Structures are given as C-alpha cells and as structure tokens.
Amino acid sequence: MNIETRVKQTLSKMKLNKKERILIAMSGGKDSSVVAYLLKKQGYRIEGFHIDLGMGTYSKRCLEAVKELCKQLDIKLNLYNIKIEMGSSMCYIRTTIQTQEHGKGLKNCAICGVIKKWIMNKEARNLKVDKIATGHNLDDEAQTFLMNLFKGSLQLSANSGAITKNVKDKKFITRIKPLFYIPEDEIRKYSKTKKLPVVYEKCPCALDSYRIQVREFMNTLTTKEKENIMKNFEDISEKIQKLKPENKLNYCELCGEPSRNKICKMCQLVKKG
Ligand code: SF4
Ligand SMILES: [Zn+2]
C-alpha cells in the first residue's frame, strides 16, 4: 500500500472532520513537509506554523523552505520568531539552562523539545485551531518507545499514539501524527519524488548521544521489524496506561499552561535560577 493510502487510513481512524482547522508544525524538514503536502492533497483545512529558532544559517534555510512550500500549497503560514518573542535564540536559551544547576546533563533536544511543545500549544490555542499535526514517523516513535523501555520508564509512552490519548482539556490542543506508521526512508523518497522544498541536512544541535545510539541500532532493522515494535506497543498500550500515576491535567502556577505538575516543564527549565 502506498504512503498516500496509509496516511489516509491513519487519518480516517482519527475521525477528523474536514471542517476542522489543523495547524501543521513545519520545521522545514522532510517529515512535516510531507504532512503538509498530504493533508492539503487530501482536502483538509490546514495552516502552517514555523518556529524560527534563530540557529544561524540552518534556521534561515529552514524558514525559506517552509515559506516556499506554503506558497506552493497556497496555505497561510504563521511564524514565531523565538528571538523576538523570547528575547534570545534557542542556542542561547539552551546553553543558559545547561549551565545552571537544574539543567546540568540535559540534552539539547530534550530542552528544545519542551520549549517547542510549550510554544506550539500556546500559539495553536491563540490561533483557535482544532488540532496540531506533527511530522513524527514510524522510526521516531519506535525509537522513543525503545528508549523508554531501555530506561525502565515505559509509563512515559502512555499517551503516545497517532493521536494524543487521555488528554482532554480546553487549554490543550490535541496533537496528531499522520506519519505514525510510515518509515523514514519512505518519507524521504516521497519528498524527493514530489520535489518538495526541504532541508535534508541534520540540525546542528541534535547531539543526544543516547537517541543517536538507539537510531543506529534501529537502522539495522527492517521495516517489518520496526512495524512489529509499534504493533507490540499498541497491543500493550492499555496496560501501559495503568502504569501511569493518576495525575490529572492542571494549569501551571507560573504560566497558566496545561501541566501535570504544579509548575510545567517549560517553567521548570526557563524560569529557574
Ligand atoms: S533536532 Fe533537537 S535541537 Fe534541533 S530543532 Fe530538533 S529538537 Fe531542537
Ligand atoms: Zn509554566
């Protein structure tokens, strides 16, 4: 079955309404570009959202690619410039956190990921969209599941899935992953066949050595084996839900964003020290 049919199936299982507004988190890379291309092709109401992380020429190339694709697809692009909105580039924010006591040993992507998710939810809510779509693919999901398994923290996978589970709150925008079942290789080939404007080089700050090790291991697996990892995950998904402590969604005491703790992860990172 080709990628278009499989994405169509994944989306139809989510029972999305074609009138819903979906904000695509576009990084300029192949995955989120393919999500934008396919959702537009399949008749969804989409808009682009790009965070300019201010990471030198790499960020400039990403921004240009996103602008070009939005132009080709004739969709609105919402831009968030981190230097303007938060006062500094992601590199600066991240290094500041890593040099403080609470940030020692935290990986670049772990910090960047928390900050981007916080921005995305807040901005999506301001834009009054119904869903956020991200470019996570089968390889990403299998990697995260294995990393949680190896670390003995399987409960961290509890809300994982093509659509966010068990999070119902007026301030939380549901996230969907249309490429949840599609291997990375196939997405790369598809983006090249369609000649999408995409930045293929790796982010210069992606230095999470543990994820790289797991990725290298994953690269030795066949697509079938990767699919089996996620099939097993889905089979035990209900049991994983039970591993998760019952802590309902609150609002962060500092920023007011949805959080499972009194202070959200973003405020724990950025506002300390
Ligand atoms: S690869 Fe890591 S550091 Fe680079 S943009 Fe993604 S999360 Fe941020
Ligand atoms: Zn907060």
Side-chain angles (χ1 to χ4, degrees):
M1 216 188 296
N2 70 28
I3 181 168
E4 297 189 10
T5 315
R6 273 178 296 154
V7 168
K8 203 174 199 166
Q9 279 183 352
T10 306
L11 293 170
S12 77
K13 276 190 207 149
M14 295 177 196
K15 299 193 174 46
L16 302 180
N17 178 334
K18 290 235 166 141
K19 287 187 186 146
E20 287 182 74
R21 279 171 66 215
I22 303 176
L23 194 68
I24 317 278
M26 298 174 76
S27 65
K30 61 186 185 328
D31 306 292
S32 51
S33 302
V34 166
V35 170
Y37 178 84
L38 284 176
L39 263 63
K40 173 76 181 182
K41 190 171 181 197
Q42 297 182 6
Y44 288 94
R45 264 182 90 190
I46 63 164
E47 288 176 28
F49 178 66
H50 176 71
I51 305 176
D52 182 346
L53 298 170
M55 302 196 299
T57 53
Y58 173 76
S59 286
K60 285 192 184 128
R61 279 198 290 279
C62 291
L63 176 61
E64 284 318 306
V66 169
K67 279 186 180 167
E68 178 56 29
L69 184 58
C70 288
K71 199 167 121 199
Q72 287 180 16
L73 298 178
D74 193 21
I75 60 170
K76 183 181 167 199
L77 171 60
N78 302 281
L79 285 173
Y80 183 101
N81 184 312
I82 205 164
K83 277 191 185 167
I84 296 173
E85 305 289 340
M86 296 181 68
S88 348
S89 71
M90 178 60 84
C91 307
Y92 185 85
I93 296 172
R94 203 192 56 230
T95 317
T96 308
I97 293 168
Q98 286 164 332
T99 50
Q100 293 174 63
E101 199 48 44
H102 71 279
K104 281 209 178 95
L106 287 179
K107 306 284 188 231
N108 292 353
C109 293
I111 297 174
C112 184
V114 166
I115 297 176
K116 286 195 299 185
K117 262 191 199 168
W118 182 89
I119 295 172
M120 226 157 54
N121 190 65
K122 201 163 178 268
E123 293 305 305
R125 200 175 58 242
N126 289 341
L127 291 165
K128 297 187 170 52
V129 297
D130 300 290
K131 301 270 185 315
I132 297 170
T134 63
H136 293 87
N137 60 42
L138 176 68
D139 290 59
D140 298 325
E141 295 301 318
Q143 254 168 43
T144 306
F145 173 61
L146 285 184
M147 284 167 67
N148 289 337
L149 184 70
F150 295 157
K151 287 179 179 167
S153 311
L154 211 48
Q155 71 280 6
L156 295 178
S157 286
N159 292 332
S160 178
I163 183 160
T164 36
K165 294 175 193 149
N166 301 335
V167 196
K168 294 212 174 2
D169 184 274
K170 62 180 189 316
K171 287 181 104 178
F172 180 82
I173 310 299
T174 302
R175 290 194 291 266
I176 60 169
K177 298 171 182 172
L179 304 178
F180 191 83
Y181 299 102
I182 316 291
E184 187 169 16
D185 275 358
E186 225 176 298
I187 297 165
R188 185 179 293 104
K189 272 186 218 141
Y190 185 80
S191 68
K192 288 190 172 165
T193 312
K194 296 294 171 190
K195 297 192 171 54
L196 301 182
V198 161
V199 175
Y200 287 100
E201 71 189 86
K202 289 252 170 285
C203 166
C205 299
L207 302 171
D208 180 344
S209 55
Y210 190 54
R211 188 172 276 276
I212 291 169
Q213 269 176 321
V214 177
R215 186 178 297 140
E216 278 169 6
F217 162 68
M218 293 270 310
N219 288 343
T220 66
L221 303 180
T222 62
T223 295
K224 188 75 205 147
E225 287 167 329
K226 290 176 195 170
E227 285 169 351
N228 284 341
I229 294 173
M230 291 320 285
K231 185 178 174 308
N232 279 295
F233 162 67
E234 290 186 329
D235 289 347
I236 58 166
S237 177
E238 270 185 32
K239 286 196 177 130
I240 299 177
Q241 303 288 330
K242 289 182 190 142
L243 292 175
K244 209 169 176 207
E246 256 316 305
N247 53 345
K248 67 175 187 55
L249 217 55
N250 299 307
Y251 299 124
C252 171
E253 287 179 2
L254 294 176
C255 70
E257 285 300 296
S259 166
R260 295 200 182 272
N261 301 304
K262 280 188 171 185
I263 308 293
C264 76
K265 285 185 189 167
M266 166 74 169
C267 291
Q268 286 179 30
L269 283 177
V270 175
K271 301 197 176 167
K272 264 194 184 177

